[in-house]
Amino acid sequence: MASGTTLNGKVAIVTGAASGIGRAIAHAFADEGAKVVVTDVEEEAGELVAKEIADRGGEAIFRYCDVGERLDVRNLVCAAGEAFEKIDILVNNAGIVAGGDFLTLEEEAFDRVIRTNLKGHFLVGQAVAQRMVAQIDEGHAPGTIINMSSINAVVAIPTQVAYAASKGGVKQLTEAMALALAPYGIRVNAIGPGTIQTPMAGNVNDNPGANKMLMSRTPLGRIGQPEEIASVAVFLASGAASYMTGQTVYVDGGRLSLNYLAQPPVKPKSGDRKE
């Protein structure tokens, strides 16, 4: 059952919402009173997310959308308008990875990542922004757009060339969108997650080597959860962030501030614990 009112009466589109961070954001928005358009290329999983929201007392629909396909994007925006009459919030979350060494990475793999992670943000962002501008003329309040960037917009991984390039592009796209849409009062911000426990990240907790490596670069000493990204998305979509635009909020457990290997977090002794 939706329990919050932060986004009461708002209509939100969340791309890549069938799992992971997108799913958590869709649920968090619904819990705060928003009507949610769940969209993904994974139809069965996406339909399930919409049903989960409805079963908890929220309101949601699922629509298939390949964010790199202009016709799909146009149909998505039309479907959202037909179902809920307006669009107040967009979360551009859909994203993929394609690992490989720079010297051998296939052009097709690079293009596929850029198409989804960067071009998709542009296509959906542009189509939704056009709708938001038209809504202002109809008397609606300006909307807000949240792009999903990454700490890899700042720090690179040599085996994730396309992903790093796409997320660096998202950071700059966010700033350009924010400047272009500021005259209309439409805010555009981004979230840059660190390592978050999602299907894309895999189950690193079960791999001692991978887990040790991740902890060595994460001062808070743990992997983030999708719900922790969702809470930031709720803030950015709400009136509490009304003076924020063009910013990327990095939610990374302290990684970007690190210039040495982190020590394991100090665990309190049993006698030091306070109840």
Side-chain angles (χ1 to χ4, degrees):
M1 175 66 68
S3 59
T5 59
T6 301
L7 305 178
N8 196 38
K10 301 293 186 181
V11 175
I13 294 176
V14 183
T15 71
S19 64
I21 290 172
R23 176 180 176 274
I25 291 174
H27 274 285
F29 279 7
D31 287 346
E32 292 296 332
K35 301 173 183 178
V36 184
V37 180
V38 175
T39 183
D40 206 293
V41 294
E42 299 293 338
E43 295 185 69
E44 185 175 346
E47 291 277 12
L48 179 59
V49 173
K51 182 179 183 300
E52 290 171 348
I53 290 172
D55 289 345
R56 293 172 57 181
E59 192 169 351
I61 61 170
F62 171 78
R63 292 293 182 270
Y64 173 92
C65 181
D66 174 354
V67 296
E69 176 55 54
R70 182 177 293 276
L71 180 59
D72 278 10
V73 171
R74 187 183 71 178
N75 290 340
L76 170 66
V77 173
C78 288
E82 289 172 0
F84 299 125
E85 299 183 351
K86 62 173 182 170
I87 303 169
D88 299 295
I89 303 163
L90 166 65
V91 179
N92 264 324
N93 172 71
I96 60 174
V97 296
D101 182 77
F102 173 73
L103 293 175
T104 57
L105 183 67
E106 295 288 341
E107 179 182 359
E108 185 275 333
F110 185 87
D111 287 346
R112 187 171 68 252
V113 172
I114 296 297
R115 178 182 182 274
T116 297
N117 297 11
L118 183 56
K119 181 182 177 182
H121 277 46
F122 164 73
L123 289 178
V124 183
Q126 183 185 63
V128 170
Q130 289 170 346
R131 175 66 184 242
M132 287 178 173
V133 169
Q135 289 174 177
I136 294 171
D137 293 336
E138 297 167 359
H140 291 286
T144 184
I145 296 172
I146 302 167
N147 293 326
M148 196 58 63
S149 185
S150 167
I151 58 167
N152 292 127
V154 180
V155 293
I157 299 175
T159 55
Q160 290 292 344
V161 176
Y163 186 78
S166 72
K167 294 305 183 178
V170 168
K171 178 183 181 297
Q172 290 300 97
L173 177 64
T174 297
E175 296 183 18
M177 289 171 64
L179 295 176
L181 297 175
Y184 302 98
I186 298 170
R187 298 184 299 107
V188 186
N189 292 291
I191 302 174
T195 303
I196 307 298
Q197 189 64 67
T198 67
M200 183 181 290
N203 195 357
V204 294
N205 286 321
D206 291 341
N207 184 327
N211 186 268
K212 182 178 180 181
M213 181 271 293
L214 287 172
M215 293 309 98
S216 73
R217 66 187 191 192
T218 308
L220 285 185
R222 64 178 178 83
I223 296 169
Q225 297 302 312
E227 293 75 17
E228 293 176 294
I229 305 302
S231 66
V232 176
V234 169
F235 165 70
L236 291 175
S238 75
S242 60
Y243 201 51
M244 284 184 66
T245 196
Q247 304 301 307
T248 298
V249 180
Y250 292 102
V251 189
D252 65 353
R255 182 176 171 189
L256 288 184
S257 300
L258 188 67
N259 63 358
Y260 59 90
L261 294 182
Q263 296 297 317
V266 177
K267 303 203 179 287
K269 299 177 182 178
S270 57
D272 294 336
R273 291 195 182 100
K274 296 181 180 179
E275 299 299 330

